[in-house]
C-alpha cells in the first residue's frame, strides 16, 4: 500500500515538473475541455501523458528536449548570476565570454526604386515588329542588331557587338530631364556571359559629356569607382548561371542609383556629369556561343513624392507596377512603388485608398475590364499581406475606359497602363468589397471562440485540389493550439505559383483573454509545419506543431491538424 502511494506521489510530482509548476492533473483536462468534444479531451490528456513520459525519462538520464529560445536566455542569465555569486571580480572576463552576443537589428531598404511618372520612350519591342528586321524604334551606332523571338516574345538581338540609341526626333538635344528613370531587361547566357555598357549620352547624335559608363555584368554593376555584386553572387562573368536580369536606373538632380532585380547595387550621391541621352552597347560577337538580348526598355520622367501627390491631386498614379502579359501576376520590380505606398499608409493611419486598375486599348473592352480589376485586387491583397488593415483598402477595375494619354503610340499606351491609389473616406462605395478581410475575424475574442467551437465540427481543411484553390481569401478559422490555447486566423492569400504558400493573420489568446502571440502577416510554405503559439514555421518538435500543409500530389494541399489540436472553419 505504501509502495502504491509512493508511486502515485512520484507520478504526480513528475507531472508537475514537466509543466514547470505544481498543478492538479484534472485542471489540465479542464483547460482543454471547454472547447473540445470528448475525443479532443482524450487527445489533450494523451499529450499530457506523453510529456509526463518525457519528464520521467529525463530523471533517469534520457536526453532533454530542446528548450525554447526564451527559456535558454533565462537559463543563461541565471547561470551568469550564480557565477557572479561564486567568483570574485577577477573572473568578470570569463562571465562576459559566456554571454551570447545579441544580433544587431538591421533595417535596410534594399529596393527603393520608383519609376518615373511620364514615359518619354518605351519599346517592348511591339508584337508587330517583324522577325529578322532592324528594331524600328532604334537607330544603329555600330555592330548589328535585329528583332528575334525568345520564348514567344519579341526581343532585340545583338548579332555582333550591337550599339543602339533611341530613334527620337530630338535626339541631338538633351532629352533626359533632371529627374528620370531607365529600365530594361537584359539576358545573359551561360559560360562567359559578356557585358552590357550603358552610356548616359546619345553616342550617335550627341557629344560625349564625360559620363562614366554603367557596366552590367551577370551578377554585378559597376559605375566609375563604385562596384557591387548582387547579394550571394560572385562578380566573375565566367561559368555564370545566366538568365534575365531586370536593370533599373534612377537619376535625381545629381544622385545616381542603379539596381539589379530587387536590390540596389549602385548609390552615388554626386554624379558629376550631366546625363543627356542613352546608348546601349551589347558585348556580343558572331563567333561566340553566348547570346545578348534586351527587351522592355523604358525611359520616364520623374515626379512628385507620393504624399505630395495625394495632397495635390487626391490620388497617386503608378505606371511602375508591372504585371506579366495579360495576367494579374506581379513582377518583382513592382515592389518599389508598392513599398512606397505601404510606407505612406504606415505613416498616415487616417489615409484610405481605392486601388484602381487601368489598361491600354489593346484587346476587347470586357477582357480589359476584368484584367484591370484582377490586377487592382492583387495589389490590394499584397498591401494587406504586408500588414495594412483590410478595412483601409478596396479595389476596382476600369479597363480602357479612362485613358490619360492617346493609345496611338507606345509611350501613350504605357502611360495608360497604370494602377491608381485614390484617396477615399473609408471603403469606396463604387469599389467592390474587400474579399481579403472580413468583420468575423475582428469580432472574435477568446470567449466567442470558445463558444463557437462547441457548435462547429473540427477537422482537416482543404486548401486546393485538381480544380484549383478552395480556401478563399477572407476565410476565418478558429483553433485550439498544441499548448491548449485558443486562437483565430484569417486567410490572406494562397499562392499557387509558390507551392501553395499560405499567408494568414492570426491571434492566439491566453486563458485570461490576453494575447499570447499574433501576426498580421505569417507565411507558411507548402509542406511546412506551423506553431501558432509562437508564430513560427519550419522544423520543430512534433509536440509543438499545430498543423502542417499536407501535399499528397502537386495540386492538392490540406491544412492537417495534429492529434492534440483542433481547427474549425467559421461560416460567413
Amino acid at each position: 500500500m505504501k509502495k502504491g502511494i509512493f508511486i502515485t506521489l512520484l507520478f504526480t510530482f513528475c507531472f508537475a515538473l514537466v509543466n514547470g509548476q505544481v498543478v492538479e492533473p484534472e485542471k489540465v483536462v479542464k483547460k482543454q475541455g471547454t472547447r473540445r468534444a470528448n475525443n479532443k479531451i482524450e487527445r489533450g490528456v494523451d499529450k499530457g501523458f506523453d510529456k509526463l513520459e518525457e519528464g520521467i525519462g529525463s530523471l533517469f538520464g534520457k536526453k532533454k528536449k530542446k528548450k525554447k529560445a526564451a527559456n535558454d536566455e533565462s537559463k543563461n542569465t541565471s547561470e551568469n548570476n550564480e557565477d557572479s555569486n561564486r567568483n570574485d571580480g577577477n573572473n568578470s572576463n570569463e562571465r562576459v565570454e559566456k554571454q551570447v552576443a545579441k544580433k544587431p537589428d538591421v533595417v535596410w531598404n534594399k529596393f527603393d526604386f520608383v519609376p518615373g511618372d511620364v514615359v518619354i520612350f518605351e519599346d517592348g519591342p511591339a508584337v508587330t515588329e517583324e522577325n529578322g528586321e532592324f528594331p524600328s524604334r532604334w537607330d544603329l551606332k555600330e555592330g548589328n542588331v535585329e528583332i528575334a523571338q525568345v520564348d514567344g516574345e519579341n526581343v532585340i538581338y545583338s548579332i555582333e557587338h550591337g550599339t543602339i540609341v533611341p530613334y527620337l526626333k530630338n535626339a541631338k538635344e538633351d532629352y533626359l530631364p533632371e529627374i528620370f528613370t531607365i529600365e530594361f531587361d537584359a539576358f545573359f547566357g551561360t559560360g562567359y556571359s559578356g557585358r552590357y555598357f550603358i552610356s548616359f549620352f546619345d553616342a550617335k547624335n550627341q557629344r560625349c559629356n564625360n559620363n562614366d559608363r554603367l557596366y552590367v555584368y551577370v551578377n554585378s554593376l559597376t559605375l566609375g569607382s563604385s562596384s557591387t555584386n548582387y547579394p550571394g553572387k560572385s562578380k566573375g562573368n565566367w561559368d555564370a548561371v545566366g538568365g534575365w536580369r531586370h536593370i533599373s536606373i534612377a537619376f535625381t538632380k545629381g544622385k545616381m542609383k542603379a539596381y539589379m532585380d530587387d536590390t540596389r547595387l549602385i548609390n552615388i550621391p554626386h554624379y558629376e556629369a550631366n546625363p543627356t541621352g542613352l546608348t546601349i552597347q551589347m558585348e556580343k560577337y558572331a563567333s561566340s556561343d553566348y547570346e545578348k538580348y534586351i527587351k522592355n526598355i523604358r525611359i520616364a520622367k520623374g515626379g512628385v513624392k507620393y504624399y505630395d501627390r495625394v495632397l495635390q491631386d487626391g490620388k497617386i498614379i503608378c505606371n511602375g507596377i508591372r504585371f506579366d502579359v495579360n495576367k494579374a501576376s506581379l513582377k518583382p520590380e513592382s515592389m518599389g512603388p508598392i513599398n512606397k505606398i505601404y510606407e505612406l499608409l504606415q505613416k498616415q493611419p487616417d489615409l484610405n485608398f481605392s486601388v484602381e486598375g487601368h489598361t491600354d486599348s489593346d484587346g476587347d473592352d470586357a477582357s480589359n475590364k476584368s484584367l484591370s480589376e484582377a490586377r487592382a485586387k492583387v495589389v490590394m491583397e499584397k498591401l494587406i499581406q504586408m500588414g495594412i488593415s483590410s478595412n483601409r483598402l478596396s479595389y476596382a477595375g476600369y479597363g480602357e475606359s479612362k485613358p490619360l494619354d492617346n493609345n496611338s503610340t507606345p509611350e501613350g499606351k504605357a502611360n495608360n497602363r497604370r494602377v491608381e491609389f485614390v484617396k477615399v473616406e473609408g471603403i469606396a462605395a463604387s469599389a467592390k468589397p474587400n474579399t481579403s478581410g472580413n468583420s468575423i475575424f475582428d469580432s472574435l475574442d477568446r470567449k466567442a471562440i470558445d463558444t463557437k467551437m462547441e457548435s462547429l465540427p473540427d477537422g482537416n481543411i482543404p486548401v486546393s485540389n485538381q480544380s484549383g484553390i478552395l480556401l478563399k481569401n477572407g476565410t476565418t478559422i478558429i483553433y485550439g493550439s498544441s499548448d491548449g490555447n485558443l486562437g483565430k486566423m484569417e486567410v490572406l492569400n494562397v499562392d499557387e505559383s509558390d507551392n501553395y504558400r499560405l499567408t494568414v493573420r492570426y491571434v492566439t489568446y491566453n486563458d485570461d483573454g490576453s494575447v499570447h502571440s499574433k501576426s498580421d502577416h505569417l507565411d507558411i510554405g507548402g509542406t511546412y509545419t506551423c506553431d501558432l503559439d509562437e508564430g513560427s514555421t519550419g522544423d520543430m518538435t512534433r509536440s509543438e506543431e499545430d498543423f502542417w500543409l499536407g501535399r499528397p500530389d502537386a495540386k492538392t494541399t490540406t491544412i492537417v491538424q495534429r492529434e492534440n489540436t483542433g481547427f474549425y472553419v467559421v461560416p460567413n
Side-chain angles (χ1 to χ4, degrees), residues 375-480:
R375 288 176 170 178
K377 182 181 178 184
V378 164
V379 174
M380 179 193 72
E381 290 177 342
K382 174 59 71 174
L383 288 166
I384 292 172
Q385 291 172 27
M386 295 169 71
I388 301 301
S389 177
S390 58
N391 60 10
R392 298 177 62 189
L393 300 168
S394 61
Y395 73 92
Y398 296 100
E400 59 187 86
S401 64
K402 296 184 177 182
L404 290 179
D405 205 338
N406 65 70
N407 281 297
S408 60
T409 66
E411 290 76 24
K413 289 181 179 180
N415 288 324
N416 289 332
R417 293 191 300 269
R418 67 196 189 275
V419 176
E420 294 188 359
F421 297 85
V422 181
K423 182 182 177 182
V424 295
E425 298 299 327
I427 297 300
S430 61
K432 286 203 169 184
N434 172 14
T435 58
S436 263
N438 57 56
S439 60
I440 296 177
F441 177 89
D442 295 322
S443 67
L444 292 172
D445 57 14
R446 187 196 177 284
K447 184 177 180 181
I449 293 170
D450 198 346
T451 301
K452 281 188 176 295
M453 280 185 174
E454 297 297 327
S455 60
L456 296 174
D458 74 313
N460 299 336
I461 301 173
V463 176
S464 64
N465 62 17
Q466 300 298 320
S467 63
I469 295 173
L470 304 175
L471 191 60
K472 302 302 182 183
N473 294 351
T475 301
T476 297
I477 299 169
I478 57 179
Y479 55 85

Side-chain angles (χ1 to χ4, degrees), residues 49-120:
F49 283 118
D50 290 340
K51 288 190 175 182
L52 177 58
E53 289 175 355
E54 294 169 0
I56 294 175
S58 68
L59 294 177
F60 293 91
K62 290 187 178 180
K63 187 177 180 180
K64 293 183 179 180
K65 281 181 63 180
K66 184 179 178 182
K67 301 287 186 181
K68 295 187 185 294
N71 292 336
D72 287 341
E73 185 176 346
S74 175
K75 181 180 178 182
N76 288 337
T77 304
S78 176
E79 288 175 351
N80 288 336
N81 290 337
E82 289 176 8
D83 289 340
S84 177
N85 293 331
R86 288 197 299 266
N87 301 313
D88 57 23
N90 295 329
N91 294 326
S92 59
N93 290 337
E94 181 182 348
R95 291 198 301 274
V96 170
E97 290 175 359
K98 290 183 179 180
Q99 295 177 354
V100 179
K102 182 182 177 182
K103 186 177 180 180
D105 183 13
V106 179
V107 177
W108 175 48
N109 188 1
K110 67 176 184 176
F111 190 69
D112 57 352
F113 177 80
V114 177
D117 308 303
V118 181
V119 177
I120 299 172

Side-chain angles (χ1 to χ4, degrees), residues 540-554:
M540 61 190 69
T541 59
R542 188 176 178 86
S543 62
E544 294 173 329
E545 297 173 2
D546 289 321
F547 72 88
W548 72 290
L549 290 179
R551 295 292 302 282
D553 58 58

